Amino acid sequence: FFFLMIRRPPRSTQSRSSAASDVYKRQLHDHLLSRQFTFTAPKAVENISVFGGFSLMINLVLGTGPYTIPFFFMEAGIYLAPLLLLLAVSLAFICATFITESLAICNAIESFAKRRSISKKENIDLPELFTYNKLFEFTKMSIISLGAWAKYAIVVLMVFSLVGHIAIKCVSASESLSKALSYLLYENVDELTKRIGFDSYYIFLILFATVAYLFSFGEVSKTSLLNKIVVVLRMLTIILFIGGAFYTMRLHGVAPIEKLPKYDLAALPGVFSAFVFYFNMHPYIPGIVRPVRPENKVTWTIFWSYLFAFIVLLALGLTAAFTFGGFDSSCAVAFPCKIQKFYNQNFLGYKILGQIVSLYPVLTIAPLPVLIIVLRNNLINLFFPQIKLEEAPPILNRSMAAIGFLPCIILSMFFRGNLNFLVSVVGAICGLFLLFIIPSVIVWNARALQLQVIGAVQHLHSSFFQNKLWIIGVLITPVVMITLQALSNKQLGH
């Protein structure tokens, strides 16, 4: 159905010199004025550096990835998993440039409509209109490029995805911390729960949720310092993950390659969905890139963030496979053990190293406020479209954050034991739509709208991928993956 979302300009616009085209453009101009555009000066935003933007993106991409990707490498195999990871990061970068270009186009159309009312088009410096002066969340961009009907469909999908995304981070962090602390104190992952008389998981869940909520009252730029600190700690912990793997290889040898799984096509759709989940930060990109300065570094900041994350995840997956892939025992029986769903549990046999890497889930606290802020902003756009995000009162921000965050906590309680199902739903359905389909459809229509209103302009934020074949190729990917997932589920049913 997403091909129907791609609108075509009326035939009367084919000739730019025709009277019909002029009439249409005047009507379009008037129509744009009613599409959530207000011509007040945007509120000043606290700018962040390129490293600040890089830190935000890295913390989002490397949230749960480092302690879950080794398990998925063993699921798909050491040949297939790197290819799927490369495909996911490549398509994610392409679609990220679609979002940044669409954000610039939305700003340009609003500025052009305003300036056209006071000056002639010839006096307007068109390329300078394409900036990030005003924040347009996914919802607003979809309204501008697709129309008001898209607001509810996309917001519902986004809210569902964000709630699932936040719940996954809460579950993985709380579960991992609960078991790690219990093992460190009593050398038994369940002993802490027995000692206190109730499940310690819920203590960490409440603590984790409270801290994340308190950090979500401001804007994304307000979390910049927290993200810079966390990204440094994250890198140090990842170095310990890789160093610990090499130390284990030195003690116990390298896993024989013949014992390692090479490829499992049945696992392809599920593992690809998990990798999509890692790189699906597209709903948050407008809020992240808007304050990044200088603006001409935004695209390269995204590129280096994705490339760095790809290298880190690839290194973690391969070192884990060649270190622990040859073991068959459970970590509850002996160390070293086979790769666990949470990779930090593979190091609990080392006292000091195990204590440090077991605290990695705490670092998930950094991206959580960003997710809650984006969820809050989209709820405000949905229920209070007349309120500009920059001028929303604090009580509204806090109440919308609480309303959006509450279902996340409920999901964290009900899906604790079935995290893989939640990841597959968020990654396979919501992730594929939000990462591939919606950015492609938005940029297709945004480019068409730019041609109709402003004309063909090469600007600072133009995507590298201007050919329509890129968009078609991106749109085909989720169709193939969803088909493969359906066939895989059908085979399992038989």
Side-chain angles (χ1 to χ4, degrees):
F1 82 94
F2 46 83
F3 286 105
L4 299 177
M5 298 168 67
I6 299 174
R7 70 161 101 226
R8 317 186 116 197
R11 292 183 181 178
S12 58
T13 62
Q14 291 177 353
S15 174
R16 293 186 173 273
S17 60
S18 66
S21 177
D22 293 336
V23 170
Y24 173 72
K25 288 182 180 180
R26 283 196 299 271
Q27 292 174 343
L28 181 62
H29 175 266
D30 294 337
H31 181 52
L32 289 172
L33 296 182
S34 65
R35 278 191 172 188
Q36 305 289 323
F37 280 138
T38 53
F39 298 137
T40 55
K43 183 180 177 181
V45 173
E46 180 181 338
N47 293 336
I48 60 177
S49 65
V50 169
F51 179 68
F54 176 84
S55 301
L56 282 165
M57 296 177 195
I58 286 297
N59 280 322
L60 283 168
V61 176
L62 295 182
T64 58
Y67 61 96
T68 56
I69 197 168
F71 178 79
F72 290 116
F73 259 63
M74 294 300 291
E75 287 279 292
I78 59 172
Y79 294 163
L80 181 60
L83 295 177
L84 293 178
L85 188 65
L86 179 61
L87 177 62
V89 71
S90 300
L91 293 173
F93 174 69
I94 292 172
C95 292
T97 64
F98 290 167
I99 293 299
T100 55
E101 180 181 348
S102 300
L103 178 61
I105 291 174
C106 289
N107 273 278
I109 290 174
E110 175 175 301
S111 298
F112 181 79
K114 178 183 177 182
R115 296 189 189 185
R116 190 183 181 191
S117 63
I118 58 177
S119 65
K120 294 182 179 180
K121 181 177 178 180
E122 301 84 54
N123 299 327
I124 301 175
D125 186 357
L126 297 181
E128 76 168 12
L129 300 178
F130 295 83
T131 63
Y132 298 147
N133 287 332
K134 184 175 179 180
L135 174 61
F136 291 88
E137 292 283 9
F138 247 36
T139 315
K140 287 290 183 70
M141 284 197 287
S142 64
I143 293 172
I144 294 166
S145 62
L146 301 175
W149 68 270
K151 175 172 69 172
Y152 299 102
I154 291 179
V155 168
V156 168
L157 188 65
M158 274 196 60
V159 168
F160 186 80
S161 176
L162 284 165
V163 168
H165 207 141
I166 294 169
I168 289 167
K169 290 185 180 297
C170 288
V171 170
S172 57
S174 303
E175 180 79 8
S176 185
L177 279 172
S178 173
K179 291 185 178 297
L181 182 61
S182 180
Y183 186 86
L184 293 175
L185 292 176
Y186 307 108
E187 296 189 355
N188 186 306
V189 294
D190 299 317
E191 186 64 25
L192 180 61
T193 295
K194 295 178 182 178
R195 294 288 184 100
I196 64 177
F198 60 92
D199 201 334
S200 59
Y201 165 81
Y202 296 104
I203 298 177
F204 288 101
L205 178 61
I206 294 171
L207 179 64
F208 204 72
T210 301
V211 175
Y213 175 71
L214 292 176
F215 271 100
S216 67
F217 291 163
E219 296 302 323
V220 171
S221 58
K222 298 294 184 182
T223 67
S224 177
L225 178 59
L226 173 65
N227 278 277
K228 288 178 183 177
I229 296 171
V230 168
V231 80
V232 173
L233 296 175
R234 194 183 296 278
M235 291 305 106
L236 292 175
T237 310
I238 287 172
I239 290 172
L240 290 177
F241 270 127
I242 297 175
F246 278 111
Y247 178 71
T248 304
M249 276 193 257
R250 184 170 175 266
L251 294 179
H252 302 277
V254 180
I257 193 168
E258 57 271 11
K259 289 193 66 176
L260 299 179
K262 307 302 187 297
Y263 60 89
D264 183 359
L265 295 179
L268 187 152
V271 172
F272 184 75
S273 297
F275 293 167
V276 166
F277 174 79
Y278 295 152
F279 295 106
N280 182 22
M281 66 175 185
H282 295 62
Y284 331 121
I285 285 178
I288 293 174
V289 303
R290 186 204 172 196
V292 173
R293 296 296 182 271
E295 282 192 19
N296 61 351
K297 301 293 184 182
V298 165
T299 301
W300 288 108
T301 302
I302 297 173
F303 172 78
W304 290 116
S305 300
Y306 276 136
L307 179 61
F308 184 80
F310 169 74
I311 293 172
V312 168
L313 293 173
L314 181 66
L316 283 166
L318 290 177
T319 54
F322 282 99
T323 302
F324 301 102
F327 297 101
D328 298 319
S329 62
S330 168
C331 290
V333 176
F335 287 100
C337 54
K338 64 182 180 180
I339 292 178
Q340 303 296 293
K341 289 184 178 180
F342 297 124
Y343 186 45
N344 53 309
Q345 295 177 12
N346 281 85
F347 296 95
L348 292 178
Y350 302 119
K351 278 291 183 182
I352 298 177
L353 178 62
Q355 292 175 11
I356 296 174
V357 299
S358 292
L359 296 176
Y360 181 88
V362 176
L363 303 180
T364 310
I365 195 68
L368 263 186
V370 178
L371 305 186
I372 299 171
I373 289 169
V374 175
L375 177 59
R376 177 201 75 195
N377 288 346
N378 279 278
L379 288 175
I380 293 174
N381 280 336
L382 179 63
F383 295 112
F384 304 96
Q386 73 280 7
I387 297 179
K388 289 176 287 187
L389 293 177
E390 297 88 347
E391 298 177 2
I395 185 65
L396 181 62
N397 284 333
R398 293 174 186 177
S399 57
M400 285 294 104
I403 291 171
F405 196 30
L406 183 59
C408 306
I409 304 303
I410 295 173
L411 275 179
S412 302
M413 296 178 178
F414 284 100
F415 284 91
R416 174 189 175 188
N418 203 358
L419 189 61
N420 286 342
F421 171 76
L422 195 57
V423 170
S424 65
V425 171
V426 175
I429 301 175
C430 298
L432 291 176
F433 270 87
L434 292 174
L435 194 150
F436 300 132
I437 296 175
I438 294 177
S440 300
V441 172
I442 286 178
V443 78
W444 184 296
N445 289 286
R447 287 172 181 173
L449 202 57
Q450 176 194 329
L451 286 174
Q452 295 163 15
V453 179
I454 302 176
V457 179
Q458 189 69 21
H459 54 88
L460 179 66
H461 302 295
S462 295
S463 170
F464 300 133
F465 311 98
Q466 290 293 314
N467 195 302
K468 292 181 180 179
L469 291 177
W470 288 108
I471 297 179
I472 295 172
V474 169
L475 289 173
I476 289 173
T477 302
V479 176
V480 173
M481 291 302 167
I482 291 173
T483 302
L484 290 175
Q485 182 70 63
L487 292 175
S488 177
N489 292 340
K490 185 176 180 181
Q491 289 178 354
L492 289 175
H494 288 302

